[in-house]
Amino acid sequence: MKNSSTPQCPVARGLQSVGDAWSILVLRDAHAGLTRFDQFRKSLGIVPTMLTKRLKALTEDGLLERRLYSEKPPRDEYVLTEAGRDFLPVLMMIGAWAHRHSGGNLARYVDVETGEEVQPIAIDEVTGAKLGTRPIRMNT
């Protein structure tokens, strides 16, 4: 995907790595502890060829790391890298947006230690302002 109107747009660049639903759902499942091809396939109901492509792309883009877990037969697992772990807040914000705007009976995220429902919000670290409450612009 090319976006020539804003070549330095961080959203466009991020979407190059995770710009389809399957990639985002693979990362969701990786955050839930899934690591093996068959686990992802079963959870997602995705055809093997598509899953292979998504895992390869996420590995090449540095969000997952492929590790050998069995030599006979050779089998790999896919574990989150630092970049993949850094995607969790994005997943949480997508979920929060869906709760606010999609309705329905959606699952909730719960803090394992406290048992309380997680209520994600995005805050600008510098100003402390909640994102979306102040005007922004992109400097290139």
Side-chain angles (χ1 to χ4, degrees):
M1 179 182 81
K2 300 283 184 189
N3 184 343
S4 60
S5 65
T6 314
Q8 297 174 346
C9 175
V11 173
R13 175 56 191 103
L15 288 173
Q16 288 177 354
S17 296
V18 294
D20 67 86
W22 289 125
S23 294
I24 292 171
L25 293 173
V26 166
L27 290 170
R28 176 204 63 190
D29 284 358
H31 277 281
L34 278 60
T35 61
R36 298 186 179 174
F37 187 93
D38 287 338
Q39 293 174 323
F40 290 116
R41 190 172 53 81
K42 182 178 179 184
S43 172
L44 298 171
I46 187 174
V47 296
T49 54
M50 179 60 72
L51 179 56
T52 298
K53 289 178 187 177
R54 299 298 10 111
L55 290 170
K56 182 180 183 209
L58 289 166
T59 301
E60 287 174 352
D61 286 336
L63 289 112
L64 294 175
E65 179 182 330
R66 194 170 152 180
R67 293 186 189 161
L68 188 69
Y69 74 86
S70 172
E71 291 188 18
K72 291 185 182 181
R75 297 276 188 254
D76 292 315
E77 64 181 353
Y78 297 86
V79 295
L80 292 163
T81 63
E82 180 180 357
R85 290 186 299 275
D86 283 349
F87 197 72
L88 180 62
V90 177
L91 291 170
M92 299 295 294
M93 293 309 299
I94 292 170
W97 177 85
H99 275 284
R100 281 193 303 276
H101 300 289
S102 298
N105 188 21
L106 301 175
R108 302 282 178 173
Y109 293 105
V110 177
D111 184 295
V112 173
E113 291 182 22
T114 66
E116 296 291 325
E117 182 179 336
V118 175
Q119 299 286 331
I121 59 168
I123 303 276
D124 173 36
E125 184 177 22
V126 175
T127 65
K130 182 178 175 183
L131 296 182
T133 62
R134 299 167 91 161
I136 63 168
R137 72 172 181 270
M138 189 180 324
N139 286 339
T140 55

